[in-house]
């Protein structure tokens, strides 16, 4: 977590990283921001707030409204959800976590709603864990085609090539050659795995669907739960998957001639279960309020703004 905090005070993502924390918070929020970085207990799960958002989302002290996350394109945040794209043609949007994940075992639970007045699906949205987060403008559902990491693409429209809606997993690791993604063929040749799932909701949709990513022991498991169901459905697994520390979570969506509202209701990250409890504690023992050097750098970055 110390590395995460150092990154946060140094700035965000991309070419504006040198602007520092002053671009993100107001001076009056210094103590509150530090307090937000402390782990929180949710039953027997340790919630990592620097990677998490849930209603009520909006916080006045954070530029863009959602603490530790940055919005791009047509994405907007309300108190209840992040809407990656509205139900209009030719829109793109993304939300990026500005803090890199430094743990080597984690769970990410994403709850979402995809809906519009149409009965057919659009392009869908994607969930990424990558070296460079998606900004909504890349060719691959808002992500750059040369990404490093893994992605889940929620393809909502029916297709004669793949059939009904499905979750499609893609990956490209560091050092691997570039992939010519067969987007026109719905990634049938370049996907890692897929599972057929019902992904949309009707016009009056209320309860969200959810997808769970569990990464531990160099293995990524994906589980899905349809709105209203009480148990997860197995979707797929990627084995022998060594994801280095420092990657980012992000979500992106695009619309074209068909469109949907792509709403992310919550994104909840915790330590993965069945790992060494001592390792969990060690990863979270950093207290920024007690580190004089970091606090001085933190204060100075804001005052310079």
């Amino acid at each position: 977590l110390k590395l995460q905090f150092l990154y946060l005070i140094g700035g965000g993502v991309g070419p504006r990283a040198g602007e520092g924390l002053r671009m993100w918070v107001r001076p009056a929020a210094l103590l509150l921001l530090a307090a937000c970085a402390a782990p929180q207990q949710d039953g027997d799960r340790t919630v990592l707030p620097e990677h998490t958002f849930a209603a009520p989302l909006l916080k006045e002290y954070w530029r863009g409204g959602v603490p530790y996350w940055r919005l791009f394109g047509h994405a907007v945040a309300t108190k209840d959800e992040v809407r990656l794209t509205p139900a209009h043609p030719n829109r793109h949007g993304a939300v990026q976590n500005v803090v890199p994940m430094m743990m080597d075992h984690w769970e990410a639970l994403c709850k979402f709603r995809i809906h519009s007045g149409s009965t057919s699906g659009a392009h869908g949205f994607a969930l990424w864990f990558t070296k460079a987060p998606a900004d909504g403008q890349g060719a691959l559902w808002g992500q750059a085609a040369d990404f490093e990491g893994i992605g889940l693409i929620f393809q909502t429209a029916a297709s004669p090539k793949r059939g009904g809606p499905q979750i499609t997993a893609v990956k490209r690791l560091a050092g691997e050659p570039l992939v010519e993604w067969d987007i026109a063929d719905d990634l049938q040749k370049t996907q890692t795995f897929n599972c057929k799932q019902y992904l949309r909701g009707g016009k009056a949709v209320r309860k969200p669907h959810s997808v769970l990513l569990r990464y531990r022991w160099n293995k990524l498991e994906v589980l899905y739960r349809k709105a209203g169901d009480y148990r997860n459905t197995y979707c797929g697994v990627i084995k022998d998957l060594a994801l280095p520390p420092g990657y980012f979570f992000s979500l992106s969506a695009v619309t074209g001639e068909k469109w949907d509202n792509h709403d992310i209701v919550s994104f909840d990250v915790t330590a993965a279960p069945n790992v060494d409890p001592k390792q969990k504690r060690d990863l979270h023992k950093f207290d920024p309020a007690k580190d004089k050097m970091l606090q001085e750098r933190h204060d100075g970055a804001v005052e310079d703004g």
Side-chain angles (χ1 to χ4, degrees):
L1 191 56
K2 179 176 286 187
L3 292 176
Q4 293 176 336
F5 190 77
L6 281 168
Y7 181 88
L8 185 59
I9 64 174
V13 182
R16 301 178 63 185
E19 294 180 8
L21 191 61
R22 63 182 180 275
M23 295 300 294
W24 301 95
V25 298
R26 300 175 183 174
L30 294 177
L31 294 179
L32 181 58
L33 182 61
C36 287
Q40 301 171 356
Q41 294 296 324
D42 179 12
D44 59 350
R45 306 168 73 224
T46 302
V47 177
L48 307 178
E50 66 272 27
H51 302 295
T52 295
F53 65 79
L57 269 65
L58 300 178
K59 302 293 186 296
E60 291 185 0
Y61 63 83
W62 194 271
R63 183 182 181 187
V66 184
Y68 306 106
W69 294 79
R70 189 179 182 190
L71 277 63
F72 288 82
H74 296 97
V76 296
T78 70
K79 65 182 180 66
D80 296 320
E81 62 199 13
V82 172
R83 175 160 290 177
L84 298 175
T85 65
H88 296 290
N90 303 317
R91 297 292 193 269
H92 68 272
V95 58
Q96 300 177 353
N97 189 195
V98 302
V99 183
M101 168 55 77
M102 305 308 297
M103 298 179 67
D104 60 4
H105 55 273
W106 46 262
E107 279 189 350
L109 176 65
C110 177
K111 296 184 179 181
F112 64 91
R113 287 189 288 255
I114 304 174
H115 59 100
S116 68
S118 172
T119 57
S120 63
H123 293 288
F125 78 98
L127 191 165
W128 305 97
F129 184 70
T130 51
K131 182 177 181 180
D135 62 5
Q137 300 190 60
L140 195 63
W141 277 261
Q143 173 65 279
D146 62 349
F147 74 91
E148 293 181 13
I150 59 100
L152 292 180
I153 300 173
F154 298 77
Q155 298 176 279
T156 51
S159 165
K161 297 179 180 179
R162 59 171 163 77
Q166 71 179 29
I167 300 173
T168 303
V170 293
K171 75 175 179 72
R172 177 180 171 267
L173 303 184
E176 293 183 348
L178 296 177
V179 179
E180 294 185 10
W181 303 103
D182 55 328
I183 298 175
D185 290 328
D186 292 326
L187 304 174
Q188 295 301 289
K189 297 179 181 178
T190 51
Q191 65 185 357
T192 303
F193 70 78
N194 73 73
C195 62
K196 306 294 184 184
Q197 298 290 348
Y198 180 80
L199 300 173
R200 299 180 74 244
K203 192 171 183 179
V205 63
R206 288 183 173 83
K207 291 184 178 181
H209 307 301
S210 66
V211 62
L212 175 69
L213 287 73
R214 178 180 295 137
Y215 180 69
R216 57 184 176 178
W217 308 316
N218 287 354
K219 181 174 68 174
L220 179 73
E221 300 170 285
V222 179
L223 305 171
Y224 181 75
R225 183 179 298 188
K226 181 181 174 182
D229 287 354
Y230 296 97
R231 63 178 61 185
N232 292 323
T233 301
Y234 179 79
C235 184
V237 62
I238 305 177
K239 298 180 179 180
D240 300 319
L241 180 66
L243 296 173
Y247 278 18
F248 295 86
F249 293 108
S250 61
L251 300 109
S252 60
V254 296
T255 65
E257 296 180 354
K258 296 181 179 181
W259 53 85
D260 270 328
N261 297 302
H262 297 99
D263 298 338
I264 310 301
V265 177
S266 65
F267 192 82
D268 178 37
V269 179
T270 67
N274 299 324
V275 295
D276 184 359
K278 183 178 184 298
Q279 188 178 9
K280 287 186 188 180
R281 289 195 299 270
D282 290 345
L283 285 166
H284 295 295
K285 66 184 180 182
F286 173 61
D287 183 357
K290 295 181 180 180
D291 192 309
K292 183 177 180 181
M293 179 190 70
L294 289 179
Q295 192 65 48
E296 288 176 350
R297 287 183 59 189
H298 181 250
D299 294 344
V302 176
E303 291 173 358
D304 289 345

